[in-house]
Amino acid sequence: MTALWTKLRRDLWQARGQATAIAVVVACAVATSAGSVATARALARSRDLYYARSAMPDLFAEATRVPAAVAGRLAAIPGVAALETRAVGDGRVTWAGGMARVRMISVGPEGGALGRLRLRAGRLPGAGEAAVSESFAAATGLGPGDRISLIANGRQQPVTISAVALSPEYIYAMPPGGLFPDDRRFGLLWMDRPEVEAALDMEGAFDQAVFRLAPGVHPAAVADAVDAVLRPFGGLGAHGRDRLVSHRFLADEMRQLDAMAVVLPGIFLGVAAFLVSVALSRLVASQRMQLGTLRALGYGSAAIGLHYAAYAAAIALAGAALGVGLGHALGAWMSDLYRDFYRFPLLDYRADPGAMAQAAALALGASLLGAAGAVRGAVRLQPAEAMRPPAPATYRPTLLERLAGARALLSLPARMSLRGLARRPLRAALGTLGIASAVAVLVTGAFFDDAVDFMMRLAFQESLRADASVAFSRPVSRAALHELRRLPGVVAAEGSRDEPAVLRRGARSQRVAIGGAEPGARLTAIVGEARRVVPVPDEGLVVSARLAALLGARPGDRVQVELLSGRRASGELPIAATVDDVLGLTATASLDTLRRLARQGDLVTGAQLAVDPAARPSLDGALRNRPAVAAVSWRKDTIQSFRETLARTMLAMATMLVGFAVAIAGGVVYSAVRASFSERSRELATLRVIGFTRVEAWRVLVGEVALQLAAALPLGALLGLGLALLAVRSFESDLFRIPVVVDRSTWLFAVGVTVLATLLASLAALRWIRRLALADALRSGD
Amino acid sequence: MFEARGLEKVYRMGEVDVVALRGVDLDILEGELVVVLGPSGSGKSTLLNVLGGLDAPTAGRVRWRDHDLSRADDRLLTRYRRDHVGFVFQFYNLVPSLTARENVALAAEIARDPMDPAEALALVDLSGRLDHFPSQLSGGEQQRVAIARAVVKRPDVLLCDEPTGALDVATGRLVLSALAGVNRDLGTTALLITHNAAIAAMADRVLHVHDGGIARVVVNQRRAAPEELAW
C-alpha cells in the first residue's frame, strides 16, 4: 500500500493549486465554527464562574420605597434562600473635565451578600467615598483618589473614589433608557448604604431587593409572592435574570455566536463539498488508465476507494488544521473585542479542543460526502473498460440552438460552452450556485456597514434631530423650558417626558419607557424603516412594530398602561399606529396624553435643544451648574459612542466575514476555472495545434466560466438578500433590529470582487495554457 | 520545402537527458508524400513536432520555405501552424461538443483562405455525416473528420502522426486513401509518421529513422495505391 500513498502524495502535490483553494474554503468553515463556538463557550464559562463566585441573584425586584421592616416578609417567602435589600437611584457626577449620569447603588459589608462587588483597584468605600464601575473608570480616566462632585435629588456632595469595581449584575452596563453602552457618560457608583440612603432620602427604606432562590425553585413562582408584598410600595414587578439587561445582552450575544457557528460554516462546507466533488471526479476521469492498471495489478475495490477518499480527506484535514489555528486566533480576537464590552473579572478564553474536533469532523464529513460520487465511480470502473480510452462524451445541440436561426448567431466557442454546460446540468447548476454563494456571503458581510449607516441616519438624523438632550433629575413644570430657551446658544427647546411603564394586553405585558413628545415636535420624530415619519398622535400610543407583536396588539387595539413612577397611575390607551423602527422597543405619546394619564400637572422630564454649535462649551457649563439637570447628551457624542461600541463590534465581525467571503470567492472561481481547464486541456491543445493563439484558446476556456458567472451574479444577489435576512434574524433582539439595507456600493463590491476573482483565476488559466505541452496532450489516448 | 541541418533535440526528464534527435539533416520537396518509418522511441514524433512548430530544436536549424522555425517565437509558430500546417493525430482529438461540420469550421474560421467545411468533408467522403457529433461517428469516420479539419484551410503541408494507429486495416485504408487523395488533388505536401512498414509503399520517399537519426532513405519508383496495402 505504500506505493498508493506515495501516489496520493504526488497527486496532491500536482493539484496543489486546486487543493489549496478547497482547503482555504474548508479552513474558513472550520475557523468560523470553532472560533464562534469557543468564544460562546468562553463567555458562558466566564459568566457562570463569575455568577457562582459572586452569588449572582436569581430574582430582582424594584419598588418606589419600601420600609426596611418589610424585608422580613420577603425573606420568609417560600423558596427564598437569601435576600439583600438596597437603595438604588440615579444622579449625576461632575469632575474637572466631565459630567456623567450615574446610578448609585448601596453596597453591603464586604461588597454585599448577593451580586458581590469585585474590586479591581482600591478598597471598599467608606463615608464620603464611592467605588466606580471599571468601564466608566476606563472611559473617563477616573480612579482611586480622584474627587468628584455628586448631585442627587438636587443636592450636591463631594465624593472621593476609593475603588474601581465590577458587578455581575452589570457585566454590560446600559444607561437608563439608553440603547447602547455609553461608558464616558454613564457609570455605576457603589457607596455605603447610609450615604445612598441620605442622598436619595431613603433612610430606613429600600427600593431594590435581590434574591437568591433555593435550588430547583422557579423564579416565576416566587415573583408572584414578591409582587404581592411589594405592590403597596410601588413594586415594579419582580423578574428573573432573563429580564436583566446585562444578562439578556450576554445571552443574545451567545445566541448570535451559536447561530454564526452553524449558518456560515454550513454554507462554506456545502461549497467545499461541491469543490471536492468536481476536483475528484476530474481526477478519477483523468486517471482511468492508471485505475485500470491498478485493477490489473490486483488492487481491490476497498484499496482504490480508500485511495480516492483519502485524497478528499487529506484536503479536508489540511483545511481543518489551518482552520483550527485560524479559529483559535479568531476566537481570541472576538474575545478581545468582548472584553471592552462585557466586564468580567476574567474572560476565560482558551483553545477549545472539543469545538475544534467537532468543526474538523464536520469538515471531513462534508468533504467525504462531496467525494462519494467520484469514489463510487472509481470503484465501479471495470479494469478492461478502464484500459480503453473513454468513448467521446455524448453531446447534442442545446434547446437554445434549436430555436430557429439561433444557432447561426452563436460562435463555435459559444456553442462549445453552452453544450458543455447543458451536458451536465446538475454540475453546471452547482457550479453556478458555488459562485453565487460567494456573491451572497460577500453581500452578507458587506451589508452590515450599510445597515449600521442606515440605523444611524434613522436614529440620529431623522428621529433625533436635537443637538442636545437634557434630562432633569426630577419632573419639572413645562414652564422650565422658557428658562432653557434663554440660555446662550439655545435656538429652540422642546419638552419631553420619559415614563417607565408596563403595557399589558390580556396575559401579555412588557416594560417600556413611554416617550412623551409635543405634537408637531421638530427636534424629535418617530421614523420607521421606510423613513416614513409618523406624527405624534393626539390620542393613544405609537409603538414599535416589535412591541405591538410582543403584546399581540394591532393599531386600534387598546392596551392597559401602568405608569411606574409617582402615583403609579394607570389607564387604557389605544395603539394609534405602529412603526418599524430599528433601535429598542419604543412607545410614544403626546405630552397631553401622558398628562391626562398621570393625572398630574404639565410636567416634563427632559428637553430637546437645538443649539448653535459655537455655543456648545458655554452652554455645557451653564447646564452643568443647574442642579435640576441630571444629564446632557450631545448628539455628536452619542453618534461617536454608538460608532465606538455597537457599530465597532458589528463592523469588526462583518469585516471578518468579508475576509472569508473574499477567500471563498477566490476558492470557488479558481476551482471552477481549474476544473474546466483540466477537463478541456485536450481540447485546448487541439485548438492551439490548429492555430488558435493562446488568447483565442483562453477565450474558449473562460466562456463556460463566464456563462456561469453571469448566471451566478443575479442568483447570488438574491441569495445574499436571503442570507442577510437570516443573519439579521439571528442578531435581532428587543434592543435593536438591524434592517436589511444594501447600498448600491455593496452590490458593486460583491459583484466586483467575484468578477475580479474570476478574472484573476482566468488569467492564471492563460499561464496554464502557455505551459500546455501540445504534442503530449494530443498523442496520449488518456 | 523543409530544410533541416544538424537538428538536435534533448529532453531533460528529471535528472536524465534523453536525446530524441541527434544531428538530423533533411530536405522535403513541395508536393511530396513522405513516410517516416521507425520503431517507437526512434525520434520520429519529435521530428514531426519540430517540423510542425509544436516544439523547438535544442540545436541545429530548420527552415520552412523562407521561415526559420528554429528561431521563431510562440506567436510566429502559432501563425505558421494556423496558416500553413494541417495536423492529424492517432487519437483524433475532435472537440466532442461540436458536430463534424463544426469541428471542421473551427479550423476554417481562423484560416485565411479556407474551403467550405462541407466541401472538406466531401473530400473525405463524409457528406452524409455533417451534423453528427463525434460520439455518433466510428473511429474511421472521426479520423476522416480530423483530416477534413486539417485540409479545410488548404494547408501547404499535412503532418500525420500514426493516423491509422487506432484503426483496423479496412478503415485504415480508407483514411490513407483520403490522405493520398488530398496530396494528389490539392498538391499538399504530406509527411506521414508510422511504425507500420506496410504503409511505406504509398510514399514517394521513405525515411527510416533509428535512434534519433535518419538511417536511410528509400525512394519508391512507384507509389502504391492505399487500397493495395495490407498489414
Side-chain angles (χ1 to χ4, degrees):
Chain A
M1 292 292 276
T2 335
L4 269 192
W5 290 113
T6 309
K7 167 176 167 343
L8 176 67
R9 215 173 52 234
R10 299 211 173 120
D11 285 349
L12 279 167
W13 177 246
Q14 193 123 43
R16 56 192 177 276
Q18 195 171 18
T20 306
I22 301 170
V24 164
V25 177
V26 171
C28 290
V30 171
T32 347
S33 170
S36 1
V37 169
T39 308
R41 287 186 185 162
L43 284 177
R45 197 167 48 233
S46 308
R47 181 194 66 185
D48 294 345
L49 188 72
Y50 187 26
Y51 280 7
R53 290 210 174 142
S54 60
M56 173 71 169
D58 300 307
L59 194 71
F60 306 79
E62 282 92 40
T64 315
R65 183 191 170 90
V66 193
V70 176
R73 281 166 61 201
L74 289 175
I77 293 173
V80 172
L83 164 74
E84 184 173 271
T85 61
R86 298 172 183 161
V88 177
D90 295 337
R92 68 173 165 113
V93 294
T94 56
W95 65 96
M99 170 162 84
R101 303 171 79 172
V102 289
R103 166 151 292 178
M104 293 171 281
I105 306 161
S106 68
V107 55
E110 290 168 32
L114 297 182
R116 258 193 307 276
L117 274 197
R118 189 185 178 101
L119 298 185
R120 304 289 266 183
R123 56 184 163 75
L124 281 172
E129 293 179 336
V132 294
S133 47
E134 189 182 53
S135 47
F136 180 61
T140 55
L142 292 171
D146 287 337
R147 297 174 67 82
I148 55 178
S149 175
L150 169 68
I151 299 136
N153 258 348
R155 288 191 302 268
Q156 187 163 349
Q157 66 184 97
V159 171
T160 304
I161 295 174
S162 73
V164 173
L166 295 177
S167 157
E169 293 164 48
Y170 298 93
I171 291 172
Y172 186 85
M174 285 240 273
L179 297 168
F180 48 89
D182 191 355
D183 293 332
R184 217 172 313 184
R185 278 167 291 276
F186 174 72
L188 302 163
L189 219 59
W190 289 279
M191 299 165 72
D192 226 5
R193 177 104 178 221
E195 302 271 328
V196 184
E197 286 182 357
L200 298 172
D201 295 331
M202 194 70 74
E203 286 94 345
F206 61 89
D207 60 356
Q208 186 188 53
V210 296
F211 305 79
R212 190 86 165 151
L213 304 182
V217 175
H218 199 268
V222 179
D224 288 342
V226 171
D227 286 348
V229 173
L230 293 181
R231 192 159 296 131
F233 308 104
L236 298 183
H239 59 85
R241 289 175 184 172
D242 59 326
R243 281 207 356 226
L244 192 70
V245 170
S246 163
H247 183 88
R248 203 172 59 183
F249 236 98
L250 205 49
D252 280 346
E253 194 77 62
M254 289 184 230
R255 199 170 46 82
Q256 288 157 17
L257 283 171
D258 285 343
M260 188 154 119
V262 173
V263 176
L264 290 176
I267 294 169
F268 297 172
L269 285 182
V271 171
F274 165 69
L275 296 182
V276 166
S277 138
V278 171
L280 205 61
S281 3
R282 171 59 213 157
L283 183 75
V284 170
S286 73
Q287 295 191 342
R288 276 175 71 95
M289 291 288 197
Q290 295 181 34
L291 260 172
T293 314
L294 289 174
R295 285 289 196 179
L297 288 174
Y299 282 94
S301 296
I304 285 174
L306 183 71
H307 176 66
Y308 287 106
Y311 184 89
I315 294 177
L317 291 178
L322 181 65
V324 159
L326 206 62
H328 181 56
L330 183 70
W333 176 72
M334 287 199 280
S335 302
D336 262 346
L337 279 180
Y338 287 144
R339 267 188 198 106
D340 286 348
F341 242 114
Y342 299 110
R343 292 291 171 165
F344 292 101
L346 180 71
L347 209 178
D348 177 25
Y349 180 79
R350 47 180 126 119
D352 191 328
M356 289 174 177
Q358 186 187 324
L362 278 174
L364 187 62
S367 180
L368 289 178
L369 205 66
V375 169
R376 204 179 316 120
V379 167
R380 283 200 185 152
L381 195 63
Q382 293 305 311
E385 186 192 339
M387 297 297 273
R388 280 195 298 272
T394 312
Y395 287 86
R396 55 177 65 88
T398 55
L399 200 61
L400 183 64
E401 296 172 60
R402 276 180 254 159
L403 298 173
R407 186 184 294 205
L409 295 176
L410 293 168
S411 70
L412 291 174
R415 286 180 221 179
M416 288 165 71
S417 301
L418 274 177
R419 290 171 194 172
L421 291 171
R423 192 168 80 88
R424 275 182 292 185
L426 180 68
R427 190 159 137 193
L430 285 175
T432 306
L433 200 63
I435 302 177
S437 69
V439 180
V441 178
L442 281 165
V443 169
T444 311
F447 99 97
F448 276 97
D449 211 2
D450 305 338
V452 167
D453 268 358
F454 180 82
M455 280 165 86
M456 290 186 56
R457 268 205 310 275
L458 208 61
F460 303 125
Q461 279 176 27
E462 302 189 12
S463 301
L464 178 68
R465 301 169 186 179
D467 300 307
S469 302
V470 172
F472 299 120
S473 47
R474 57 176 63 172
V476 300
S477 157
R478 213 157 156 176
L481 294 175
H482 295 305
E483 244 183 281
L484 286 180
R485 287 195 190 103
R486 281 199 296 271
L487 290 177
V490 174
V491 177
E494 289 173 3
S496 61
R497 182 164 180 171
D498 258 342
E499 286 289 348
V502 176
L503 303 187
R504 292 198 176 84
R505 184 160 188 278
R508 306 185 189 194
S509 66
Q510 185 66 42
R511 249 180 97 155
V512 294
I514 300 179
E518 292 176 7
R522 305 217 329 248
L523 298 180
T524 53
I526 315 170
V527 185
E529 194 180 315
R531 305 172 89 163
R532 187 174 54 99
V533 175
V534 181
V536 176
D538 291 333
E539 178 67 29
L541 295 166
V542 175
V543 299
S544 302
R546 283 179 56 77
L547 178 55
L550 282 173
L551 293 171
R554 275 184 294 192
D557 290 345
R558 299 182 75 81
V559 292
Q560 184 72 33
V561 181
E562 186 189 346
L563 300 184
L564 295 176
S565 65
R567 277 171 289 172
R568 301 175 60 94
S570 67
E572 263 193 3
L573 287 178
I575 303 281
T578 60
V579 58
D580 46 354
D581 49 9
V582 291
L583 285 176
L585 294 177
T586 63
T588 312
S590 73
L591 283 174
D592 282 339
T593 303
L594 283 179
R595 180 176 52 78
R596 283 197 298 274
L597 190 71
R599 292 184 282 280
Q600 241 179 341
D602 204 3
L603 300 179
V604 292
T605 62
Q608 308 300 325
L609 306 181
V611 177
D612 172 9
R616 177 175 167 171
S618 58
L619 184 60
D620 220 18
L623 289 170
R624 200 187 294 190
N625 287 330
R626 289 171 176 263
V629 171
V632 182
S633 53
W634 293 85
R635 185 173 63 170
K636 241 173 132 177
D637 299 345
T638 310
I639 293 175
Q640 193 192 349
S641 121
F642 182 82
R643 274 200 193 285
E644 281 170 7
T645 53
L646 255 189
R648 207 190 67 198
T649 25
M650 216 190 292
L651 293 182
M653 299 275 185
T655 306
M656 173 200 81
L657 204 54
V658 168
F660 283 155
V662 170
I664 285 170
V668 169
V669 294
Y670 180 89
S671 286
V673 177
R674 181 75 223 186
S676 196
F677 173 78
S678 324
E679 221 150 64
R680 302 175 68 175
S681 55
R682 201 186 174 87
E683 250 172 61
L684 293 170
T686 305
L687 296 179
R688 289 282 286 131
V689 166
I690 288 177
F692 275 58
T693 62
R694 281 179 204 148
V695 173
E696 283 165 343
W698 176 76
R699 272 197 217 125
V700 172
L701 173 68
V702 297
E704 205 170 302
V705 179
L707 277 176
Q708 283 180 301
L709 179 69
L713 292 179
L715 181 65
L718 270 178
L719 282 178
L721 273 182
L723 194 59
L725 211 60
L726 196 70
V728 300
R729 279 273 163 75
S730 78
F731 274 95
E732 194 166 81
S733 69
D734 297 348
L735 301 162
F736 62 90
R737 190 169 61 88
I738 305 164
V740 177
V741 178
V742 186
D743 287 350
R744 196 184 317 158
S745 61
T746 297
W747 292 123
L748 282 177
F749 168 77
V751 167
V753 167
T754 312
V755 170
L756 187 71
T758 312
L759 211 64
L760 287 179
S762 304
L763 285 179
L766 201 53
R767 223 184 45 194
W768 305 331
I769 289 177
R770 187 166 62 219
R771 289 198 193 144
L772 206 54
L774 298 184
D776 296 350
L778 297 181
R779 279 207 183 88
S780 77
D782 196 6
Chain B
M1 169 174 259
F2 284 107
E3 179 195 280
R5 293 292 176 268
L7 219 47
E8 277 186 29
K9 180 72 193 179
V10 181
Y11 290 105
R12 193 154 181 90
M13 308 280 278
E15 306 189 347
V16 211
D17 285 341
V18 177
V19 182
L21 294 177
R22 43 184 105 226
V24 172
D25 297 331
L26 174 78
D27 291 283
I28 287 172
L29 309 175
E30 300 271 355
E32 258 193 317
L33 196 160
V34 176
V35 166
V36 180
L37 198 61
S40 54
S42 58
K44 54 190 192 305
S45 285
T46 308
L47 182 62
L48 183 116
N49 289 349
V50 171
L51 295 180
L54 294 176
D55 209 344
T58 316
R61 210 164 50 93
V62 56
R63 295 182 67 82
W64 177 80
R65 292 186 180 159
D66 52 352
H67 299 282
D68 187 348
L69 298 182
S70 37
R71 300 234 178 102
D73 60 8
D74 177 75
R75 204 174 49 83
L76 281 173
L77 288 180
T78 301
R79 196 77 235 169
Y80 162 67
R81 291 198 301 271
R82 187 171 181 144
D83 295 339
H84 305 293
V85 188
F87 282 98
V88 178
F89 291 98
Q90 176 180 2
F91 300 103
Y92 333 114
N93 293 316
L94 299 181
V95 175
S97 58
L98 296 180
T99 61
R101 190 208 305 262
E102 288 167 342
N103 261 288
V104 177
L106 207 53
E109 282 183 359
I110 57 166
R112 281 196 297 208
D113 173 31
M115 11 175 148
D116 180 47
E119 190 188 332
L121 282 162
L123 276 180
V124 293
D125 209 12
L126 278 179
S127 297
R129 316 283 273 168
L130 295 179
D131 293 320
H132 287 59
F133 283 93
S135 59
Q136 299 165 311
L137 298 172
S138 71
E141 288 172 328
Q142 289 185 56
Q143 188 61 299
R144 280 185 284 154
V145 175
I147 294 172
R149 187 175 66 186
V151 301
V152 71
K153 65 171 83 161
R154 304 182 204 277
D156 297 297
V157 57
L158 204 52
L159 298 175
C160 314
D161 193 353
E162 299 279 9
T164 59
L167 302 173
D168 61 62
V169 177
T171 316
R173 276 198 205 111
L174 274 178
V175 166
L176 290 176
S177 78
L179 284 172
V182 169
N183 168 259
R184 183 188 59 231
D185 301 338
L186 305 178
T188 311
T189 310
L191 201 71
L192 210 152
I193 281 182
T194 181
H195 64 275
N196 184 349
I199 293 176
M202 68 182 278
D204 293 312
R205 279 196 300 156
V206 184
L207 310 180
H208 289 264
V209 180
H210 185 75
D211 197 19
I214 295 177
R216 65 201 162 91
V217 179
V218 177
V219 178
N220 287 335
Q221 294 310 312
R222 169 188 168 275
R223 273 166 60 164
E227 296 75 26
E228 303 167 25
L229 304 179
W231 65 87

